[in-house]
Amino acid sequence: MQTRTLGTTGPQTSALGLGCMGMSALYGDSDRSESLATLHAALDAGITLLDTGDFYGMGHNELLINEGLRTAPAAAREKAQISVKFGALRTIEGHFTGYDGRPNAVKNFAAYSLQRLGTDHIDIYRIARVDPDVPIEETVGAIAELVEAGHVRHIGLSEVGAQTLRRAAAVAPIADLQIEYSLISRGIEEAILPTARELGIGITAYGVLSRGLISGHFTRDRKLAANDFRGMSPRFQGENLDRNLDLVDALRKIAEQKGVSVAQTAIAWVLSRGEDIVPLIGARRRDRLTEALGALDVTLDADDLTAIEQAIPAGAAAGDRYPSAQMAHLDSEH
């Protein structure tokens, strides 16, 4: 397994991380046994970075990772690094009601995560979205106290803009910024990515396949389950979906010429953007994991990158990446 280092102060991780959200929530029903088998297969393949959130299935995902690690070989378990997002407030019915970044809340969330994960520390800890009522300095300061106490190893951030990134980094060392980055989500390139590089902060890129939209497997006639949040995502709606899948068809021609899959090409593109970027792959089945791992063997030369740029120029996606209510919570978009 290839490795990369998250920023100048962060840990060395596998070049691909495993995003575990889909094993518990938001993409319709999942198969618990297949999820555990996929976790084990990822660890066997050398993936060390497991990304979760305490609100994924209201704790379900952390408990699943706990079980996956407990039943994995000791060597793999010891190498695993867990990245946790916190702060999202949810109702019993699963609705999101805001974010809480108060210092006491930060420590409360951490205490519950440690218990569910069955570990004595969290490798990277980050608030999922900035709490607009709490200065980021206070939230990061609380995580820094958890680092000092040995409960957290590294501080991360999620979906913050360049200004917030600077403010946070002035408080304590930041290992990485977790943010959406893909061929059809390139907003970070203008200011956020240059600022992260200036500050020595790595990037863990989620949504590298745009929730399956540019995986090569999503079809125009696919019916989404009622509990699949993509049914409310603008990029999966009507004419937007048709236009976005036209982009995928253009990418497919390039992938076929190279003898690789669309998903492998899209992941390889993110890998090519810099050694400071670690893509998170959201596989929840072993076959999808195997396909994604194949991206590590794909080399994109200058001609390939030019062809991809022509097929999917920056800003080509139709529709926002979240519904408007969720876009409003993104510090990175303001």
Side-chain angles (χ1 to χ4, degrees):
M1 172 58 68
Q2 302 168 26
T3 60
R4 294 188 169 186
T5 301
L6 293 179
T8 55
T9 64
Q12 184 181 79
T13 75
S14 49
L16 292 177
L18 183 66
C20 301
M21 180 186 76
M23 297 177 179
S24 297
L26 299 176
Y27 289 122
D29 295 336
S30 58
D31 184 317
R32 185 179 186 85
S33 61
E34 181 62 24
S35 294
L36 289 169
T38 302
L39 276 167
H40 289 159
L43 295 169
D44 289 344
I47 287 180
T48 58
L49 183 61
L50 305 178
D51 183 76
T52 185
D54 62 11
F55 52 93
Y56 292 167
M58 280 75 93
H60 179 279
N61 204 238
E62 290 180 321
L63 291 169
L64 185 75
I65 289 174
N66 180 337
E67 182 177 350
L69 291 176
R70 280 191 292 106
T71 53
R77 185 168 64 247
E78 290 168 4
K79 293 178 182 177
Q81 301 158 310
I82 305 175
S83 167
V84 178
K85 288 180 290 299
F86 68 89
L89 304 175
R90 303 189 69 178
T91 66
I92 293 172
E93 295 76 20
H95 303 302
F96 287 88
T97 59
Y99 297 89
D100 193 343
R102 296 172 301 164
N104 282 343
V106 172
K107 295 171 183 178
N108 178 78
F109 287 128
Y112 279 75
S113 282
L114 289 168
Q115 179 67 26
R116 284 188 293 260
L117 290 166
T119 182
D120 63 357
H121 73 275
I122 296 167
D123 292 282
I124 312 172
Y125 203 47
R126 70 187 86 241
I127 191 165
R129 300 286 186 268
V130 174
D131 182 344
D133 297 322
V134 178
I136 192 64
E137 290 87 351
E138 293 185 17
T139 302
V140 168
I143 306 175
E145 291 178 7
L146 290 172
V147 172
E148 186 176 352
H151 303 308
V152 169
R153 295 279 170 84
H154 302 281
I155 304 171
L157 293 168
S158 175
E159 286 288 356
V160 304
Q163 182 180 0
T164 303
L165 202 58
R166 291 187 186 281
R167 289 169 54 195
V171 175
I174 307 297
D176 73 316
L177 167 63
Q178 187 174 121
I179 195 164
E180 187 166 355
Y181 189 37
S182 74
L183 274 167
I184 64 171
S185 296
R186 297 176 58 177
I188 73 170
E189 293 177 347
E190 182 176 349
I192 295 173
L193 182 56
T195 300
R197 286 176 168 162
E198 176 193 335
L199 298 172
I201 297 170
I203 299 289
T204 42
Y206 76 88
V208 295
L209 297 179
S210 198
R211 299 161 186 82
L213 182 58
I214 60 172
S215 67
H217 301 297
F218 204 93
T219 59
R220 285 172 169 81
D221 59 354
R222 181 170 172 179
K223 303 299 182 185
L224 294 170
N227 57 347
D228 189 325
F229 90 105
R230 290 174 293 188
M232 298 181 293
S233 173
R235 291 183 175 174
F236 288 82
Q237 305 297 315
E239 292 183 1
N240 286 350
L241 177 62
D242 287 334
R243 289 170 57 190
N244 291 329
L245 290 181
D246 285 344
L247 298 175
V248 177
D249 289 339
L251 184 62
R252 192 187 310 276
K253 294 177 182 177
I254 298 169
E256 288 176 346
Q257 290 174 355
K258 291 188 68 66
V260 299
S261 75
V262 175
Q264 289 168 342
T265 306
I267 296 168
W269 182 86
V270 178
L271 283 164
S272 77
R273 307 310 284 177
E275 290 291 321
D276 53 348
I277 298 173
V278 175
L280 299 173
I281 53 176
R284 53 180 180 163
R285 289 175 10 202
R286 283 168 288 180
D287 58 340
R288 295 287 193 254
L289 172 68
T290 299
E291 179 185 24
L293 287 168
L296 294 168
D297 298 320
V298 177
T299 300
L300 299 176
D301 60 26
D303 290 340
D304 295 327
L305 293 172
T306 298
I308 291 170
E309 186 75 27
Q310 291 173 345
I312 308 181
D320 287 333
R321 53 198 183 100
Y322 286 102
S324 57
Q326 294 181 41
M327 289 291 289
H329 290 294
L330 297 176
D331 181 79
S332 55
E333 295 287 342
H334 302 308

